Amino acid sequence: MATLSPISSISLSNSSLFLRLPSSRSSLSKPTYSPMSIKALSAPVLTQDQLKKLAADKAVDYVKSGMVLGLGTGSTAAFVVSKLGELLKEGVLKDIIGIPTSKRTEEQAASLGIPLSLLDHHPKIDLAIDGADEVDPELNLVKGRGGALLREKLVEAASAQFVVVADESKLVDGLGGSGLAMPVGVVQFCWSYNAKRLQDLFKEEGCEVKLRMDGDKPYVTDNSNYIVDLYFETPIKDSRAAGAEISRFEGVVEHGLFLDMATAVIIAGSDGVSVKTK
């Protein structure tokens, strides 16, 4: 039986050991990589005017042929009027009548071929569409920074439906909360007397009162009134009580608190267009 003896040592004295190294072109060479950059694709950021147009286009979906329409005033309302003119020209809408809330809106609508009339002749309006300067969670509004608050309130109060269009920057927790103007229309006679009374009324809100100017002269509305703008440090605590108190002042024509009037508010924002209703 064969036996295996342990190998105690290996002698390399009379032999040579060769180790072949791979060449640079060998399949064992390490692969090389080119740097690669990945750019994330982000959605385009819409401008405020683009957001307003989105909301305006959505609001026009409420319009049907044959309606009497209240036409608002301001940058957002202008998009609505423009869209109505476009749909009339294309024949999508027919037999609508517009009741403008300002001379500016009247001129724009007339230039687009929209038939116009007066609230005197059409006291019942099917639908009014307008913008807003502030919108609170209860869909109460501040309006009138465009100077047409009296005519806007007359027309929109006479409307069966009042649809508001705005971008998300107009949303506030409480009216006056944006820190921007809440307008009050006053007669020219003794306007400063009423400005002082308004400032005293809102002392707790830290109200600052300014006469609206047009260059170096007071701004004059379509109805020949002045506008006193109220700027609040904190939101108005009770908008309904505030509106009632302002209206009690002799010489006050109208204020920019539009309370319990909106039936729907269309908001355009970074997440798209949403509709809020009561």
Side-chain angles (χ1 to χ4, degrees), residues 191-261:
W191 68 266
S192 60
Y193 167 70
N194 272 321
K196 179 65 168 61
R197 292 203 291 176
L198 289 166
Q199 188 156 9
D200 290 343
L201 180 62
F202 295 106
K203 282 190 296 188
E204 292 186 10
E205 285 84 359
C207 178
E208 183 180 8
V209 176
K210 295 181 180 179
L211 177 67
R212 186 176 299 187
M213 302 298 290
D214 182 11
D216 59 353
K217 297 180 180 180
Y219 175 88
V220 178
T221 70
D222 287 347
N223 293 85
S224 300
N225 298 308
Y226 285 171
I227 290 180
V228 173
D229 286 320
L230 279 56
Y231 297 86
F232 297 94
E233 291 181 4
T234 60
I236 301 169
K237 294 178 181 178
D238 187 337
S239 296
R240 289 173 180 82
E245 289 294 326
I246 293 171
S247 296
R248 287 193 183 99
F249 288 163
E250 301 84 2
V252 166
V253 179
E254 193 51 82
H255 57 74
L257 298 172
F258 284 52
L259 309 175
D260 300 315
M261 293 179 64

Side-chain angles (χ1 to χ4, degrees), residues 30 35-36 44 46 53 55 77-78 87-88 93 95-96 112 127 148-149 190 192 217 224 227 252 256 267 274:
K30 292 183 179 180
M36 180 174 64
L46 298 180
K53 188 177 185 305
L87 295 177
L88 270 177
L93 287 177
D95 302 322
I96 64 171
L112 296 171
L127 169 67
L149 61 158
C190 294
S192 60
K217 297 180 180 180
S224 300
I227 290 180
V252 166
I267 302 291
S274 62

Side-chain angles (χ1 to χ4, degrees), residues 164-180:
V164 176
V165 288
D167 65 90
E168 61 187 353
S169 70
K170 302 301 191 293
L171 299 177
V172 295
D173 294 329
L175 298 184
S178 70
L180 301 176

Side-chain angles (χ1 to χ4, degrees), residues 3 8 21 24 32 107 124 140 152 173 177 213-214 216 218 223 231 241 256 266 275:
T3 62
S8 59
L21 296 174
S24 60
T32 59
E107 291 170 358
K124 294 183 179 179
N140 293 314
E152 286 174 335
D173 294 329
M213 302 298 290
D214 182 11
D216 59 353
N223 293 85
Y231 297 86
I266 299 173
V275 180

Side-chain angles (χ1 to χ4, degrees), residues 65-132:
S65 292
M67 278 187 166
V68 178
L69 301 172
L71 305 178
T73 294
S75 58
T76 307
F79 286 116
V80 174
V81 175
S82 179
K83 185 67 174 181
L84 290 173
E86 179 184 320
L87 295 177
L88 270 177
K89 185 176 181 180
E90 294 172 353
V92 178
L93 287 177
K94 298 179 180 179
D95 302 322
I96 64 171
I97 296 174
I99 311 296
T101 56
S102 68
K103 292 178 181 178
R104 278 173 292 160
T105 299
E106 181 181 357
E107 291 170 358
Q108 182 194 8
S111 71
L112 296 171
I114 299 174
L116 300 176
S117 187
L118 300 172
L119 190 58
D120 291 337
H121 302 147
H122 293 86
K124 294 183 179 179
I125 298 174
D126 297 302
L127 169 67
I129 305 176
D130 204 352

